[in-house]
Each structure stands twice: as C-alpha cells, then as structure tokens.
Amino acid sequence: MKKRIGIIGLGLIGGSIALSLRGKFDIVGYDTDSFTCDYANSNNIARIVPIEEMTSCEAVFVCVPVSATSSALESVTKLLPDVIVSDVASVKAPFEFIGGRYVGTHPMAGTEKGGIRAAKAHLFENAYWVITGSGKDADTVESIIKLTGAKPVRMTASEHDRAVSYFSHAPHAVAYALVSASVESGGSPIAGSGFFDTTRIAGSSGEFWSEVFKLNKDNVLSALGIIDGELSKIKSMLSSDDYDGLKAYMNAAKLKREALFCGGACGEALYVDLVDRIGEFERVTGKLAGAGINVASIALMPGREGAGGALRLEFENSTDRLRAAKALGITTDKESV
C-alpha cells in the first residue's frame, strides 16, 4: 500500500508537488476554491478530502499564499498534531514559532503564472529546495523532496531569509524598477533579449511579492542598499571617466558569476540561431535527443540583442553544453554562441 501525502492549497506549487509525486504516493488534497478542487479531481492530480482526513499522511504540505501561511500552519498543526506539516513559503523566519512536527521548506522554483492549470510535474527538477528543520522529521521531508527531482539544501531560517534577499527578493525589486524606469523614459521600445532576460521576473504577481518584501523587510532593505552602493560605484567610475576601473569591475563581476556556475547554482546556457522555417525547432531538439543530451530548460527569445540566437538552451553542466554545441555544429566561446 502506498504511503499518503497531503497537500493543502493546490495552486502552482501545491499542484506541481502533487503531479511530481503522483504514482509514488497516494495524493490527497484540499483547497478552498471549488474550481481548483474539481480540476484536481477530474485530472487525477489529487483526491480531494477534508483536512481532518489527512491524519494518515506521511507528511502534509501547506501551499497557501504567503500572507495566509502563518494562520494556516497554526490551524493545520492543531488539526494534525501527529503528522509532519511543511510549508513552501519563500520566507522562513516568521514561522519558526510553529509547534508540533513542523518542518519549514522553500522550493526555489516557480513561474510567472499561478493556479492549478499552471502546475507542472517537472517544475522542481534540478531546483534547490531549502529545508530549515532538523531531525528525523526533516529527514523524512527531504526524502520526499528528492522524489520531485529537486536538490534539497539544509540551512537555518535566518540563513535562508538573508540568502533569498540577495538571490531572489532584491532581484525581483530591481526587475520591477528596471521595467518602470525603461518604459517611463519615453524612448522607443526596442527591447531585445538582454532586457527580457533581465526583467522576466517582473511578470510576477505584485500582490505576492509585496507580501514577501513585508515579511523579509530588513533583509531586503539591506540587500537593496548594497546593490545601490554597487550602482553608485559604476556611476562614479563613469562620471570620472575611469574606464579602466569600470572594465576591471565588470570583469570581476563576470568571474564571480562564473563561480556560481561552477558551484552548480544555475545551468550552462547555449544560444542557438534559428531559421524561420517549419521544423527548425524540432531539428535542434531532435539532434540533442539523438545525442542523448538532456536539456534542463529551453526558452524562445523575443529578440537577438546581446545574444547569438533566438533559442536559449540550458544544461546542467559545461560538459553537456559543449556536447550540445558539437552536436549542433556550433563553435562556441565561454560566453556566447
């Protein structure tokens, strides 16, 4: 008999957890939205049950909006005192007070779209999934997370909240600011792939991110202050015509970014030029499949400024990237194709 997993809140994250674990566990779920419940049932994503009937679950994941996470966790841990209860909120320190068998987690994955219809079985593949708890219950949660294809990472709640302020929260604020500054400048809209790559995350929900900023206010303010300081350095070098210093600064930043790649923080990207003809996309992906090369993610670029092509392929490591380039007959350097 399969072990049971409960999911409360069947939106993008909750629905994706259900899909990624479907077949490995008996998935039961609950949501306050009737359409979501009907969709989950009719598409075999989760069997809808009352929360009170989740007592036999191996673990229950609370996947509600971050603004409702605290009250939801308090209610669920009281209803299910003998069950491991986890959340997926992008801030962790505010929930450290939760008692019972609570284990805090945060999957570093998502899209700009929300809701159960946006859920994907592969959403967590090769993504970091932070676990802030410890002990046997955290070990159990980690074993479940591994089955989604994610990479579990252990850290404290305070370590997590400081890290995400730099690598997630502040970048979202910067992306929103960059879009606002660029569009309101009054210039012609000639945005290319560089702009769209940089501001993709500005397509995310303002309601969600304003709540995240509120919960992680001190860390976000600190990160934005440091970013502002770095921008001031660039402005100062430009103002004083210190182009040697500017070049050294940017090259140092480039090396730091490459160090992130070497540490496995993100994939190795390859840009491929596509000819506007039927079957071109299948030609590229077919060659990679024939060579046995896995593509971690793929995206069509809306413009070609700053990159060598209209198709962005991302690989788990530089070896796969070089193999892909060879399979496609592309000569590459470290930066672009």
Side-chain angles (χ1 to χ4, degrees), residues 22-40:
R22 187 171 58 178
K24 305 177 183 77
F25 295 92
D26 173 27
I27 307 295
V28 295
Y30 173 83
D31 199 285
T32 57
D33 181 70
S34 58
F35 168 81
T36 297
C37 291
D38 291 341
Y39 189 93

Side-chain angles (χ1 to χ4, degrees), residues 222-296:
S222 176
L224 288 175
I226 291 174
I227 291 171
D228 187 52
E230 294 300 314
L231 289 172
S232 294
K233 291 179 184 178
I234 295 174
K235 289 169 61 178
S236 177
M237 286 182 280
L238 276 173
S239 297
S240 61
D241 293 326
D242 181 11
Y243 299 111
D244 287 339
L246 182 60
K247 180 173 66 175
Y249 177 90
M250 292 189 290
N251 282 334
K254 175 177 176 290
L255 290 174
K256 291 174 184 177
R257 185 176 183 275
E258 288 177 357
L260 287 176
F261 280 100
C262 293
C266 48
E268 290 276 355
L270 180 69
Y271 291 88
V272 182
D273 199 15
L274 292 182
V275 179
D276 186 13
R277 63 188 179 197
I278 295 173
E280 184 70 359
F281 182 84
E282 289 78 6
R283 178 188 69 81
V284 173
T285 55
K287 283 189 175 183
L288 297 178
I293 303 168
N294 178 58
V295 181

Side-chain angles (χ1 to χ4, degrees), residues 25-261:
F25 295 92
D26 173 27
I27 307 295
V28 295
Y30 173 83
D31 199 285
T32 57
D33 181 70
S34 58
F35 168 81
T36 297
C37 291
D38 291 341
Y39 189 93
N41 267 325
S42 60
N43 288 277
N44 195 32
I45 296 174
R47 179 166 53 86
I48 303 300
V49 302
I51 296 174
E52 293 84 350
E53 293 185 16
M54 296 185 181
T55 54
S56 62
C57 288
E58 181 83 355
V60 170
F61 289 88
V62 176
C63 308
V64 299
V66 66
S67 59
T69 297
S70 182
S71 58
L73 286 173
E74 288 187 84
S75 298
V76 174
T77 51
K78 289 178 181 176
L79 287 171
L80 307 171
D82 299 320
V83 178
I84 298 172
V85 176
S86 233
D87 74 318
V88 295
S90 53
V91 181
K92 297 269 65 82
F95 313 121
E96 285 189 294
F97 70 91
I98 301 296
R101 301 180 67 185
Y102 168 69
V103 176
T105 81
H106 176 209
M108 303 296 292
T111 70
E112 296 79 36
K113 296 182 179 180
I116 193 168
R117 286 180 292 187
K120 305 176 187 298
H122 60 275
L123 183 68
F124 310 110
E125 287 183 4
N126 300 312
Y128 289 129
W129 193 321
V130 176
I131 302 170
T132 58
S134 59
K136 291 183 179 179
D137 287 346
D139 293 342
T140 298
V141 170
E142 179 172 341
S143 68
I144 296 168
I145 285 172
K146 285 180 178 178
L147 294 175
T148 69
K151 300 175 181 177
V153 178
R154 298 288 188 101
M155 60 178 65
T156 67
S158 59
E159 288 171 341
H160 167 273
D161 289 359
R162 185 174 185 277
V164 292
S165 72
Y166 285 94
F167 291 106
S168 178
H169 301 174
H172 275 80
V174 170
Y176 288 121
L178 180 56
V179 171
S180 296
S182 301
V183 173
E184 292 172 7
S185 68
S188 299
I190 56 172
S193 61
F195 181 84
F196 285 108
D197 267 356
T198 305
T199 62
R200 176 186 61 82
I201 53 178
S204 303
S205 164
E207 289 76 13
F208 171 81
W209 280 104
S210 62
E211 187 65 28
V212 169
F213 291 169
K214 175 183 175 182
L215 290 172
N216 203 24
K217 176 182 174 180
D218 291 342
N219 283 315
V220 174
L221 284 173
S222 176
L224 288 175
I226 291 174
I227 291 171
D228 187 52
E230 294 300 314
L231 289 172
S232 294
K233 291 179 184 178
I234 295 174
K235 289 169 61 178
S236 177
M237 286 182 280
L238 276 173
S239 297
S240 61
D241 293 326
D242 181 11
Y243 299 111
D244 287 339
L246 182 60
K247 180 173 66 175
Y249 177 90
M250 292 189 290
N251 282 334
K254 175 177 176 290
L255 290 174
K256 291 174 184 177
R257 185 176 183 275
E258 288 177 357
L260 287 176
F261 280 100

